[in-house]
Amino acid sequence: MKKMFYILFLTLCLFMLGCDNGNSGSIYDDVEYGDDIVADNPSEVSDEDVSKSERPDNAPRPGGGGSSNGSSNGSGNSGGSSDDEDDDSEYSDDSDEDVESYVIINDGGGSNETPDEDDEGDAEEEELYYLWPEIESCSSGVPSDSEKQKVLNRLNYIRSIHGLPQVVYDTEGDEITAECSLIIAANNIEGSPLQLSHEPPKSWDCWSQQAYDGCHSSNIHVGWAQNTDLSSVDSAEIVDGFMVDKDVDSVGHRRWFLDPWLGHISFGRADYTDGNGIFVLGSAVKVIHDDRPDVSDLEIDFIAYPFESYPKKLYPGSFTRMSFTVLKDKINKFGNASSMNLASATIAIIDSTNNKTIAVSGLQYDTDGIGVPNNISWLAEGIEYNKKYNVTVSNIMVNNVSTLYQYWFELK
């Protein structure tokens, strides 16, 4: 009897493990059961070891239909143009320095095995229930509602650390982010050199006006790997990659994500394999919109990264640029450019445990229309986890008055 119990228990465990290993089930939509989203509470998605300040109210969840689309933990691009009535010209044009490609080369352990006959039933079930993108026919995929929710939850968690309003999910943008993700994946199958553009030319495979519009108004990303199945990457990691903004001097993706006037997002994703161990993905998060929420009651005067108790995953090393944006005008977004002079700004970082001054280098500033239209960024050497650092940003001229800002951060 005891032996029989162990056999039944082991069988149950193997069955549950098999269910959990279905990557397509978590990334792409269940076509048979439609688009209704069963969402977790956004406030529950957090780094467990980070102490959290008071959170904004929970964001409304994605819901309803809409076709959509496919990721990795690196970054793509920011910028693009918008129909904002204040000043279209404030939005930055695409440039090579704005574009980052994320590449994984891993010669170990492929996951491109041909299923045996016993697995044919499972393969047919996946094909029935999940709509994957097809590059050969230029058909964009449909990400599952749970993947959309992961992106929304992670972004809202990060925004809450900065005291920013929660954003909501807008399915109306799903089609263009799906098509943008598709065109990114379709044109990076060969790997090197990887290419991204907010204005993909008509010569690109799978070009469409929807793809152009999606890439033009989104943070975009490309991932490529050898013998590493990128479809297993959690979509929330894409958000983290955009926040880190490795090798992107303008930290544009981060600025769009931390824009107080960002009210809603849409997410697209396209995963593809050539069947010979090459995996590619494209993804897009729509961040530029015509409408803007009212943030006049927002009780913050700046947006700093990293800020206070911060997830160490979002600051992975000294190559990561810190950044600071002044939020002076909460009525007119572009008033935060016209009232600023950042040319004389200085940064001081002090290790609170020993009063040691941290070396700062590579300071850059601009008043370009990327998110809030002013930003200072820099590199800091020797930052350690679980240490508190005090930051002073001095000599910012706000309406011709020299202004000083102070805050602290600790990576946990």
Side-chain angles (χ1 to χ4, degrees):
M1 177 67 70
K2 188 176 293 185
K3 182 176 180 181
M4 180 64 69
F5 172 80
Y6 286 139
I7 292 173
L8 289 172
F9 178 77
L10 180 59
T11 302
L12 178 60
C13 289
L14 290 173
F15 173 77
M16 294 176 68
L17 182 61
C19 292
D20 289 340
N21 284 340
N23 291 334
S24 61
S26 64
I27 294 179
Y28 293 100
D29 228 351
D30 188 330
V31 177
E32 181 172 306
Y33 295 105
D35 274 338
D36 291 339
I37 288 177
V38 180
D40 296 326
N41 187 320
S43 65
E44 293 175 354
V45 179
S46 62
D47 290 65
E48 295 179 353
D49 54 350
V50 176
S51 59
K52 299 173 243 336
S53 55
E54 183 177 354
R55 297 288 182 244
D57 292 336
N58 294 336
R61 293 166 171 72
S67 63
S68 184
N69 210 348
S71 154
S72 166
N73 60 351
S75 307
N77 203 344
S78 73
S81 64
S82 168
D83 293 328
D84 293 307
E85 59 186 358
D86 292 279
D87 188 351
D88 292 351
S89 65
E90 290 288 348
Y91 286 89
S92 67
D93 294 328
D94 293 344
S95 64
D96 291 341
E97 67 179 7
D98 286 335
V99 180
E100 180 194 0
S101 300
Y102 175 68
V103 184
I104 301 174
I105 302 295
N106 185 348
D107 293 328
S111 52
N112 191 38
E113 300 175 358
T114 304
D116 1 276
E117 294 179 2
D118 293 340
D119 295 328
E120 287 180 0
D122 293 337
E124 290 175 1
E125 185 175 4
E126 282 187 1
E127 187 175 339
L128 172 65
Y129 289 137
Y130 301 101
L131 182 58
W132 285 70
E134 295 182 0
I135 288 178
E136 294 84 356
S137 61
C138 291
S139 300
S140 57
V142 180
S144 67
D145 292 338
S146 63
E147 291 299 297
K148 298 176 188 178
Q149 188 70 45
K150 288 176 183 178
V151 170
L152 179 68
N153 288 357
R154 185 61 174 175
L155 179 55
N156 275 333
Y157 165 65
I158 293 170
R159 286 174 64 90
S160 69
I161 299 174
H162 294 270
L164 294 167
Q166 304 268 276
V167 300
V168 300
Y169 197 93
D170 180 15
T171 57
E172 290 186 6
D174 279 355
E175 181 177 2
I176 63 173
T177 53
E179 294 295 321
C180 171
S181 302
L182 173 69
I183 197 174
I184 292 171
N187 290 276
N188 286 284
I189 296 171
E190 300 300 324
S192 181
L194 295 180
Q195 51 188 351
L196 280 172
S197 176
H198 287 295
E199 298 180 345
K202 290 185 177 180
S203 60
W204 278 22
D205 294 339
C206 298
W207 190 93
S208 67
Q209 188 60 50
Q210 291 90 345
Y212 182 95
D213 293 343
C215 292
H216 205 52
S217 58
S218 302
N219 283 349
I220 58 177
H221 160 257
V222 60
W224 185 93
Q226 183 174 348
N227 296 328
T228 299
D229 186 354
L230 297 182
S231 69
S232 63
V233 173
D234 192 317
S235 294
E237 293 185 24
I238 300 171
V239 177
D240 290 357
F242 283 134
M243 283 296 298
V244 172
D245 244 358
K246 181 180 178 182
D247 298 329
V248 181
D249 290 344
S250 67
V251 293
H253 311 99
R254 184 191 306 164
R255 289 166 67 175
W256 284 118
F257 274 177
L258 298 183
D259 180 1
W261 281 275
L262 178 62
H264 50 91
I265 63 167
S266 304
F267 171 64
R269 172 172 179 154
D271 296 85
Y272 177 80
T273 178
D274 68 350
N276 295 304
I278 300 301
F279 296 84
V280 64
L281 63 90
S283 62
V285 180
K286 190 175 190 299
V287 291
I288 299 177
H289 305 276
D290 296 340
D291 59 314
R292 293 186 184 144
D294 182 0
V295 299
S296 57
D297 295 332
L298 197 58
E299 297 180 355
I300 59 173
D301 297 318
F302 59 84
I303 304 165
Y305 165 96
F307 182 67
E308 298 191 350
S309 184
Y310 214 70
K312 61 184 179 182
K313 185 177 181 181
L314 295 178
Y315 186 86
S318 58
F319 63 83
T320 309
R321 281 190 165 269
M322 297 183 179
S323 58
F324 183 88
T325 292
V326 178
L327 189 60
K328 177 65 175 178
D329 193 335
K330 300 171 188 174
I331 303 297
N332 174 18
K333 181 176 183 177
F334 289 95
N336 291 291
S338 59
S339 62
M340 297 293 150
N341 186 333
L342 308 176
S344 301
T346 58
I347 311 296
I349 304 177
I350 305 295
D351 183 340
S352 66
T353 60
N354 54 21
N355 287 324
K356 177 184 176 182
T357 299
I358 301 299
V360 172
S361 63
L363 190 146
Q364 297 185 169
Y365 64 90
D366 68 69
T367 52
D368 297 336
I370 305 174
V372 179
N374 74 76
N375 185 259
I376 307 170
S377 69
W378 63 90
L379 299 169
E381 297 180 11
I383 299 297
E384 300 179 39
Y385 296 150
N386 301 311
K387 271 192 174 184
K388 184 178 180 180
Y389 296 91
N390 297 315
V391 183
T392 301
V393 184
S394 308
N395 302 320
I396 293 181
M397 302 300 293
V398 181
N399 293 323
N400 296 318
V401 177
S402 181
T403 309
L404 176 148
Y405 299 88
Q406 292 181 312
Y407 62 96
W408 62 271
F409 70 86
E410 182 176 2
L411 303 171
K412 304 183 71 175

